[in-house]
Amino acid sequence: MGTLLSRQSVQSRLKSAEGMSLTEFSYQLFQAYDFYHLSKHHGCRIQLGGTDQLGNLMSGHEFIHKVSGQEVFGLTVPLVTSSTGDKLGKTAGNAVWLNRDKTSPFELYQYFMRQPDSMVERQVTLREVVYLKMYTFLPLPEVEHVMDQHCKEPEKRSAQKRLAAEVTKLVHGKEGLESAKRSTNALYHGSLQALEQMTDEELQELFREAPFCELLLEPGTSVLDACRRASAIPEGARGYQMVTEGAVWINHSRVTNPEQVLIPREHILLNGLTLIRIGKRNFYILKWLNL
């Protein structure tokens, strides 16, 4: 107990206004025993963790040394933080996942595209660490070339684009990178061609919160019919008025005639999809089944 209580990390937490729960305090005991179990049964002799895990690694090292006398090691690495200095992770609620179901190729691509210049090339402790060096296998001369180009024309965000492309390709392969680029063009550049090339899976990843409806296309289906069947607008005069007032967009084009019959290649893409947007952020995806 004396050793655990003497740790600087524990002392700072105990003196803080929030304090430290028993669960948090005892966590280092469990992690120390985990290290011992792995060492004893699987020959694990090194534990890797972020700098915030130093105390837990030390507990494991001391416990194993006292119990078995075996020499084991701990290695810490600098934490990857956000531009505000916050830790990235599940607890902080800002984790970036390698699993496509949790973070799609598009979301991963955009995460690195949105990095400010200071994070693409940033200063950590006594040495310069570049995200391009940390997360890619680009040769160092090429990294320096990318940064030189970026410094000359920062408005083009060439470093962010290269970083996003390399990381997305590394995690999801070339196909995942192409998927991310299609989604980017469809969402931010209003590209109908990109929308037509997108799969159902890509659309649902891009618009995760958007309702996805599969419908049969009936002859004479109008803009108003499509919006109502998607539950994008309310029934009655209010929904009709929303269309006439220009609050409805179909495939990136504003529609103002509620009675307009849906036209293939304009309102219905070659892949049988219709993307409806109400206002700025409310999306609805229609998949027509009988084309």
Side-chain angles (χ1 to χ4, degrees):
M1 287 294 292
T3 302
L4 298 179
L5 287 169
S6 66
R7 300 219 187 281
Q8 184 178 357
S9 58
V10 174
Q11 285 291 316
S12 61
R13 285 298 303 276
L14 290 175
K15 293 177 182 177
S16 67
E18 297 81 12
M20 189 177 198
S21 68
L22 177 62
T23 303
E24 293 177 287
F25 177 72
S26 59
Y27 187 86
Q28 53 188 320
L29 298 175
F30 293 111
Q31 187 166 328
Y33 190 82
D34 284 344
F35 194 5
Y36 168 70
H37 178 85
L38 291 172
S39 171
K40 180 179 179 181
H41 297 283
H42 301 282
C44 176
R45 296 185 60 198
I46 185 168
Q47 185 175 182
L48 176 68
T51 50
D52 62 333
Q53 295 291 307
L54 178 60
N56 297 341
L57 269 62
M58 288 176 61
S59 295
H61 176 274
E62 293 172 2
F63 180 65
I64 294 171
H65 182 72
K66 289 179 181 178
V67 173
S68 66
Q70 185 180 17
E71 189 175 20
V72 294
F73 307 90
L75 176 65
T76 62
V77 295
L79 285 175
V80 179
T81 58
S82 68
S83 57
T84 59
D86 296 327
K87 175 182 174 181
L88 297 180
K90 294 180 291 183
T91 306
N94 57 0
V96 179
W97 301 84
L98 302 183
N99 187 327
R100 181 172 186 154
D101 294 335
K102 293 181 177 291
T103 300
S104 69
F106 166 75
E107 291 168 328
L108 182 68
Y109 183 86
Q110 286 300 318
Y111 172 80
F112 285 101
M113 273 294 295
R114 290 192 294 266
Q115 292 299 316
D117 293 350
S118 60
M119 296 300 288
V120 176
E121 180 172 328
R122 55 176 237 184
Q123 196 78 19
V124 176
T125 63
L126 298 178
R127 61 190 179 88
E128 179 181 344
V129 178
V130 182
Y131 268 17
L132 283 163
K133 295 177 182 177
M134 292 172 65
Y135 295 129
T136 77
F137 292 104
L138 291 176
L140 294 182
E142 188 168 353
V143 171
E144 297 303 325
H145 174 71
V146 171
M147 293 309 303
D148 288 342
Q149 293 298 114
H150 177 78
C151 291
K152 292 177 183 177
E153 299 178 294
E155 69 280 1
K156 292 186 176 181
R157 299 179 67 80
S158 56
Q160 284 91 341
K161 290 178 181 178
R162 187 63 182 275
L163 173 65
E166 292 293 330
V167 174
T168 305
K169 184 168 65 175
L170 182 65
V171 175
H172 296 290
K174 186 177 180 180
E175 183 179 339
L177 175 58
E178 293 304 316
S179 172
K181 288 182 176 180
R182 279 195 298 271
S183 298
T184 298
N185 289 331
L187 183 62
Y188 295 119
H189 304 298
S191 171
L192 284 182
Q193 182 180 5
L195 270 178
E196 287 183 328
Q197 293 174 346
M198 292 178 69
T199 65
D200 295 358
E201 181 186 27
E202 288 173 345
L203 271 171
Q204 291 181 68
E205 287 178 343
L206 179 58
F207 304 101
R208 284 190 183 273
E209 306 301 322
F212 186 91
C213 305
E214 294 184 331
L215 301 171
L216 294 175
L217 181 63
E218 300 174 357
T221 298
S222 67
V223 168
L224 186 65
D225 295 331
C227 291
R228 284 178 173 168
R229 293 177 71 183
S231 299
I233 59 175
E235 295 288 341
R238 177 55 187 151
Y240 192 96
Q241 186 180 9
M242 288 176 66
V243 180
T244 59
E245 291 179 348
V248 177
W249 299 68
I250 294 183
N251 297 337
H252 296 311
S253 296
R254 176 177 277 151
V255 290
T256 55
N257 181 4
E259 308 299 336
Q260 169 71 60
V261 175
L262 297 184
I263 301 173
R265 294 298 302 273
E266 181 179 344
H267 302 120
I268 304 173
L269 303 177
L270 288 176
N271 53 2
L273 295 172
T274 296
L275 179 66
I276 298 175
R277 174 164 63 88
I278 308 298
K280 293 184 177 181
R281 299 181 181 275
N282 299 311
F283 291 92
Y284 301 81
I285 304 170
L286 300 182
K287 173 74 172 181
W288 304 102
L289 298 178
N290 56 331
L291 297 179

